[in-house]
Amino acid sequence: MIAVNLQYALKGVLQTLNTNMSLFVNRFPDNTTVGNRYHLRLAQNGFAAGDNYGWTTGFWSGMLWIAYELTGNENYRQLGEQHIQDFTHRAENAIDLDTHDIGFLYTLACVAPFRLIQNTKAKYAALLAAELLMNRYLGTAGVFQAWGTLDDLRLRGSTIIDSLMNMPLLYWAAEQTGDHRFATAAHRHSVQLRDHVVRSDNSTYHTFYWDVETGTPVGGKTAQGHSDNSCWARGQAWAIYGFALNYRYTRDESLLAVAQRCANYFLNHLSQDYVPYWDLVFGDGSGQPRDSSAAAIAVCGLLEIARWLPEGAQRQHYQTAAETILASLVTHYAAPAESGSNTLLLHSVYDLPKNIGVDEGCLWGDYFYMEALIRSLIPNWQVYW
Ligand code: GLY
């Protein structure tokens, strides 16, 4: 394994974050870079440039909270607190929240500051968000609908592997309110995904559809992967981390076991430098772009798995795999200061079939890179999820 200086990597990360704070002030950067530079979130669908819409703005908040934890610098906290106002307004008015991504948004923008500084406004907004997510629960099928309103016939019964990451908001809401509804639905959803979205070879479908009247599983499709039957790299990374987090809150051993099986598939399909191509159907020599964001998510997931395994060879295996991938990210993918880029990690892919954010930086890649660093620097770090 390459020896890397994580403190040095962190120094570069904080420099870029500071530059981006001056650039965006209280507005939000776009999902991905263009030419390796972030610009303001686009003005579209009635939103002004830099408005809080879409699924990725919480990653920007999450980066601020990690930076605050690591440095104690009040500038990060102040901007993070402004984000709480913004996210409260968004939840109160249900702005662009017809999506399972509510968990990504509110866990990082609101649960994180509640955990860190007991901000009660953040708690209020996160509980509102958890209720909005609960509205998307389709009881007969036992799953959360991924996208669209519940009466949208095209999207009815859609689920997505990414949604496992949104369940921790519900476990947190159950803890805070004592209302088991949240946790029961989240657990059932993760079990449904375990049973139907993970294939027999431990790869995953990206999306999967249910008949919401009968609860019958219908079948899997891709949205951002190479084909319906291939394994989209980031989806597999969401599965690793998502199942492991669902284990954290339920202690259902089958969820830790499926996280391990998904991790094994992922680790067996890495490229020579331990960062996967954007779909795991591709290997070295394919000429396809890599997805560094999938690698960063997987590092956090592998560390989460290792956290819950007993001392021994298995635990060490996942720990070493995480360290090896992170070392490659630090060495080969972290944007060097002289690159002129304002992303933390180069070379991710958002949606190759639609040619969006291909070989660019992205907010979630940058967030999980920071989470991988803080997890490695502070081994008993209290997760935001
Ligand atoms: N959750 C959407 C994505 O990973 O692109």
Side-chain angles (χ1 to χ4, degrees):
M1 201 201 315
I2 325 155
V4 287
N5 184 337
L6 296 184
Q7 286 293 353
Y8 183 76
L10 177 66
K11 202 166 152 224
V13 160
L14 294 175
Q15 269 167 7
T16 303
L17 197 60
N18 294 344
T19 306
N20 288 343
M21 280 169 73
S22 316
L23 195 61
F24 297 112
V25 193
N26 59 355
R27 313 302 294 153
F28 290 90
D30 210 350
N31 299 324
T32 72
T33 59
V34 177
N36 288 326
R37 286 204 61 83
Y38 284 113
H39 300 277
L40 267 188
R41 193 154 281 258
L42 294 180
Q44 61 181 11
N45 303 330
F47 294 107
D51 271 2
N52 183 359
Y53 72 90
W55 72 281
T56 63
T57 49
F59 295 117
W60 178 225
S61 315
M63 285 188 252
L64 299 173
W65 290 115
I66 291 180
Y68 176 65
E69 258 199 277
L70 285 167
T71 63
N73 181 328
E74 288 294 319
N75 291 339
Y76 300 122
R77 174 178 170 147
Q78 279 163 17
L79 185 54
E81 284 173 339
Q82 286 184 42
H83 284 193
I84 295 169
Q85 307 287 348
D86 217 287
F87 275 89
T88 304
H89 172 75
R90 187 168 171 182
E92 283 177 339
N93 296 283
I95 297 169
D96 197 26
L97 291 178
D98 283 324
T99 166
H100 69 105
D101 291 317
I102 291 170
F104 279 122
L105 292 164
Y106 283 85
T107 303
L108 297 180
C110 295
V111 175
F114 178 67
R115 291 197 196 277
L116 286 177
I117 58 169
Q118 292 73 52
N119 184 306
T120 50
K121 286 186 190 140
K123 176 178 175 180
Y124 159 76
L127 287 176
L128 277 184
E131 283 294 357
L132 290 174
L133 185 52
M134 273 307 290
N135 292 341
R136 306 184 64 74
Y137 186 61
L138 307 169
T140 306
V143 294
F144 286 87
Q145 180 163 317
W147 310 290
T149 55
L150 298 182
D151 58 1
D152 182 331
L153 292 183
R154 210 170 40 90
L155 296 171
R156 246 168 107 75
S158 58
T159 63
I160 184 165
I161 192 71
D162 322 22
S163 63
L164 291 168
M165 294 295 297
N166 295 316
M167 299 301 107
L169 176 68
L170 302 175
Y171 297 119
W172 172 84
E175 273 167 21
Q176 294 302 316
T177 60
D179 183 343
H180 298 299
R181 207 169 36 101
F182 295 106
T184 305
H187 185 201
R188 175 113 170 87
H189 178 81
S190 60
V191 166
Q192 287 288 67
L193 268 55
R194 177 201 68 194
D195 291 347
H196 300 288
V197 181
V198 181
R199 305 183 183 111
S200 56
D201 66 354
N202 300 316
S203 67
T204 48
Y205 290 110
H206 182 189
T207 71
F208 197 94
Y209 285 76
W210 265 264
D211 179 323
V212 303
E213 312 303 339
T214 63
T216 312
V218 176
K221 278 188 182 309
T222 200
Q224 285 152 255
H226 173 67
S227 71
D228 289 345
N229 290 318
S230 71
C231 181
W232 180 52
R234 194 160 61 254
Q236 194 73 10
W238 292 136
I240 298 167
Y241 198 9
F243 280 124
L245 286 170
N246 276 277
Y247 169 77
R248 173 182 277 261
Y249 293 105
T250 60
R251 300 301 159 100
D252 174 343
E253 292 292 339
S254 74
L255 297 177
L256 188 59
V258 72
Q260 286 177 255
R261 294 203 307 272
C262 290
N264 297 344
Y265 187 92
F266 186 86
L267 295 173
N268 287 334
H269 289 81
L270 293 180
S271 76
Q272 228 171 19
D273 72 3
Y274 308 109
V275 170
Y277 295 93
W278 67 280
D279 192 296
L280 299 182
V281 77
F282 299 115
D284 288 323
S286 63
Q288 295 288 325
R290 286 176 169 79
D291 181 6
S292 60
S293 74
I297 296 159
V299 170
C300 298
L302 292 164
L303 292 175
E304 184 68 17
I305 292 173
R307 158 80 180 76
W308 297 110
L309 290 174
E311 288 280 354
Q314 278 297 303
R315 178 184 199 159
Q316 193 53 49
H317 168 68
Y318 294 111
Q319 179 76 32
T320 304
E323 288 167 7
T324 306
I325 298 171
L326 180 57
S328 183
L329 290 176
V330 169
T331 312
H332 305 299
Y333 293 82
E338 63 281 7
S339 67
S341 165
N342 64 352
T343 186
L344 304 183
L345 271 192
L346 300 167
H347 306 305
S348 73
V349 169
Y350 184 8
D351 189 334
L352 190 134
K354 296 192 196 67
N355 197 24
I356 304 170
V358 176
D359 198 17
E360 293 287 349
C362 64
L363 289 179
W364 59 93
D366 286 357
Y367 168 78
F368 285 101
Y369 180 52
M370 284 190 75
E371 187 180 313
L373 289 175
I374 195 171
R375 275 178 169 273
S376 304
L377 290 164
I378 307 177
N380 61 354
W381 179 65
Q382 164 62 54
V383 298
Y384 299 157
W385 304 99

